[in-house]
Amino acid sequence: MAESEYPQRVPIKVIGRVEELKAEMVAELIGVHLGPQPEGAEQHHANCKGAYISYTFWVTLPHGEAEKPLREAIAKLPGHVMQL
């Protein structure tokens, strides 16, 4: 199996309850865990269906161990339901 090359740009989709989960909370954790992102990375796509909302952010991972701590932190946000 080939090794992944870093830095690597990947999507992170976060789904949660619309009244609790806010894009700003996810964006803040991205900055804390991954550092400054390329220009325009703070933009995200949102999709709302009933009581749930999903946010898709494109992030740049600096190395292979960077994604897990970010996802663990996101899982602790209020309203978090799942991540893809």
Side-chain angles (χ1 to χ4, degrees), residues 3-8 34 60-69:
E3 250 186 76
S4 296
E5 291 188 27
Y6 292 91
Q8 186 177 74
L34 301 181
T60 301
L61 302 173
H63 52 78
E65 291 78 40
E67 188 172 5
K68 183 178 179 185

Side-chain angles (χ1 to χ4, degrees), residues 5-78:
E5 291 188 27
Y6 292 91
Q8 186 177 74
R9 190 166 187 251
V10 299
I12 292 185
K13 180 176 246 178
V14 182
I15 302 166
R17 291 182 292 280
V18 72
E19 295 297 323
E20 297 175 71
L21 186 65
K22 305 298 177 199
E24 297 79 23
M25 297 186 303
V26 178
E28 182 178 344
L29 287 178
I30 291 169
V32 167
H33 287 272
L34 301 181
Q37 294 292 292
E39 180 136 356
E42 69 281 350
Q43 296 177 1
H44 62 278
H45 175 76
N47 190 9
C48 189
K49 181 106 175 169
Y52 297 95
I53 191 161
S54 70
Y55 299 108
T56 303
F57 287 86
W58 281 87
V59 300
T60 301
L61 302 173
H63 52 78
E65 291 78 40
E67 188 172 5
K68 183 178 179 185
L70 171 62
R71 289 191 176 273
E72 289 171 347
I74 290 171
K76 295 176 184 175
L77 288 174

